[in-house]
């Protein structure tokens, strides 16, 4: 796994100053004012890289890129990188060589923004390391836990109730109430009323097409006697005439008139 890890660059700053710092004589923090800030011991380029979970602070030559010193960091904040008590632009780092020897030196940035970027790059890297550690720990705990067997045992069955289907064999489904045309009708909502459509008023066209027949005017020559006869005629006479023979009425009327002239020979007598 270590051979497959590759080195990634986290931060690059072109200007950094290196100082020799006096040994710490007490437990109080480092102070940049104790250094000779106007006369740095070395000036070059700083590059922060990471390989796996370890970060590296590399001090290199600006022109050739030759490595001047390297500080491996396995925890931040920690003893490998410390801030000073009187400034945010200066740090104390622990450098190591290939033989295992180590020394503490001071580094400083001219621009305060470069110091901020340097600090944030280390914080982001070790935040990622913490998350990866928690994820790997959870996966290991999950592997050690007993796994649940959710499969069916021998002879175990399960029953499903889908819609109107019954669980018993041979059971018939409940019939659905359907309206006209085979469509299922829903009952009206509770408390609701069905609105009756209003009867439309008669259109003007229908009124215009209806023609009232004019009243029948009686002739002025009609006598008052005829009018009275019409009003006084009993209803029984009309009923009797309806039941008798029509041809008999005609013959009776002709025989009842005494002064009628004799019939002509060319007319047929009824």
């Amino acid at each position: 796994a270590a051979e497959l890890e590759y080195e990634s660059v986290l931060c690059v700053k072109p200007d950094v100053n290196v100082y020799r710092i006096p040994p710490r004589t007490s437990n109080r923090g480092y102070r940049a004012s104790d250094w000779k800030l106007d006369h740095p011991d070395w000036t070059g380029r700083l590059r922060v890289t990471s390989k796996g979970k370890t970060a590296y602070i590399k001090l290199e030559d600006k022109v050739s890129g030759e490595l001047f010193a390297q500080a491996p960091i396995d925890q931040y904040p920690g003893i490998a990188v410390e801030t000073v008590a009187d400034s945010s632009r200066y740090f104390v780092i622990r450098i190591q060589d290939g033989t295992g020897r180590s020394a503490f030196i001071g580094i400083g940035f001219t621009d305060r923004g470069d110091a901020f970027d340097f600090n944030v790059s280390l914080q982001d890297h070790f935040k990622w390391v913490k998350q990866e550690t928690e994820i790997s720990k959870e996966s290991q705990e999950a592997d050690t836990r007993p796994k649940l067997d959710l499969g069916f045992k021998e002879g175990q069955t399960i029953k499903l109730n889908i819609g109107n289907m019954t669980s018993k064999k041979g059971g018939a489904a409940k019939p659905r109430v359907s309206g006209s045309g085979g469509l299922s009708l829903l009952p009206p909502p509770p408390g609701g009323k069905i609105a009756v459509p209003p009867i439309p008023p008669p259109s003007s066209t229908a009124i215009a097409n209806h023609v009232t027949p004019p009243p029948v005017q009686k002739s002025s020559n009609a006598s008052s006697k005829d009018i009275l006869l019409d009003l006084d005629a009993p209803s029984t006479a009309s009923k009797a005439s309806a039941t008798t023979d029509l041809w008999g009425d005609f013959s009776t009327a002709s025989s009842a008139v005494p002064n009628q002239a004799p019939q002509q020979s060319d007319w047929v007598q009824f």
Side-chain angles (χ1 to χ4, degrees):
E3 294 179 357
L4 297 176
E5 293 178 352
Y6 60 92
E7 185 178 20
S8 61
V9 179
L10 304 178
C11 179
V12 177
K13 295 302 175 183
D15 294 319
V16 64
N17 298 324
V18 178
Y19 304 92
R20 289 182 181 177
I21 60 175
R24 182 184 293 182
T25 58
S26 63
N27 292 331
R28 68 184 183 90
Y30 292 100
R31 297 179 62 88
S33 58
D34 298 336
W35 309 342
K36 298 179 181 179
L37 300 178
D38 296 336
H39 303 282
D41 296 297
W42 185 84
T43 302
R45 178 180 66 187
L46 179 140
R47 198 157 57 97
V48 180
T49 63
S50 65
K51 189 175 182 180
K53 296 183 180 181
T54 305
Y56 298 89
I57 299 175
K58 296 184 178 182
L59 303 175
E60 302 170 343
D61 187 84
K62 292 182 180 180
V63 180
S64 63
E66 182 181 0
L67 182 63
F68 173 74
Q70 176 176 274
I73 306 170
D74 54 3
Q75 185 180 0
Y76 183 78
I79 192 174
V81 180
E82 298 181 47
T83 58
V84 297
D86 57 347
S87 179
S88 61
R89 295 186 293 115
Y90 297 91
F91 302 86
V92 176
I93 63 175
R94 183 185 62 183
I95 59 175
Q96 293 180 351
D97 58 4
T99 60
R101 295 182 301 175
S102 61
F104 291 91
I105 62 174
I107 62 173
F109 300 94
T110 305
D111 189 1
R112 196 177 300 275
D114 293 342
F116 177 79
D117 295 340
F118 168 75
N119 191 17
V120 169
S121 62
L122 293 176
Q123 289 179 355
D124 291 344
H125 171 72
F126 286 98
K127 186 183 296 184
W128 170 81
V129 170
K130 182 179 180 181
Q131 293 176 355
E132 288 293 323
T133 304
E134 292 177 355
I135 293 173
S136 61
K137 185 183 298 184
E138 290 178 359
S139 62
Q140 291 176 0
E141 292 178 355
D143 294 339
T144 56
R145 294 174 185 172
K147 296 183 180 180
L148 296 177
D149 186 10
L150 301 178
F152 286 99
K153 305 299 185 295
E154 184 178 358
Q156 187 177 4
T157 59
I158 186 171
K159 294 182 180 181
L160 298 177
N161 188 8
I162 302 175
N164 294 328
M165 298 178 62
T166 57
S167 58
K168 297 182 180 179
K169 293 183 179 180
K174 296 181 181 179
R176 295 184 178 179
V177 180
S178 59
S180 60
L183 299 177
S184 59
L185 300 179
L186 297 177
K193 295 183 179 180
I194 301 176
V196 179
I199 300 175
S203 61
S204 60
T205 305
I207 296 175
N209 293 334
H210 179 72
V211 179
T212 304
V216 179
Q217 297 180 359
K218 294 184 178 182
S219 176
S220 60
N221 296 329
S223 61
S224 61
K225 182 178 180 180
D226 296 336
I227 297 173
L228 294 175
L229 290 176
D230 294 340
L231 295 175
D232 295 337
S235 59
T236 57
S238 61
K239 292 181 181 180
S241 62
T243 56
T244 59
D245 190 5
L246 297 178
W247 296 106
D249 293 339
F250 279 103
S251 60
T252 306
S254 60
S255 61
V257 180
N259 298 327
Q260 186 176 5
Q263 297 289 334
Q264 299 294 332
S265 60
D266 54 350
W267 291 88
V268 178
Q269 184 177 3
F270 293 94

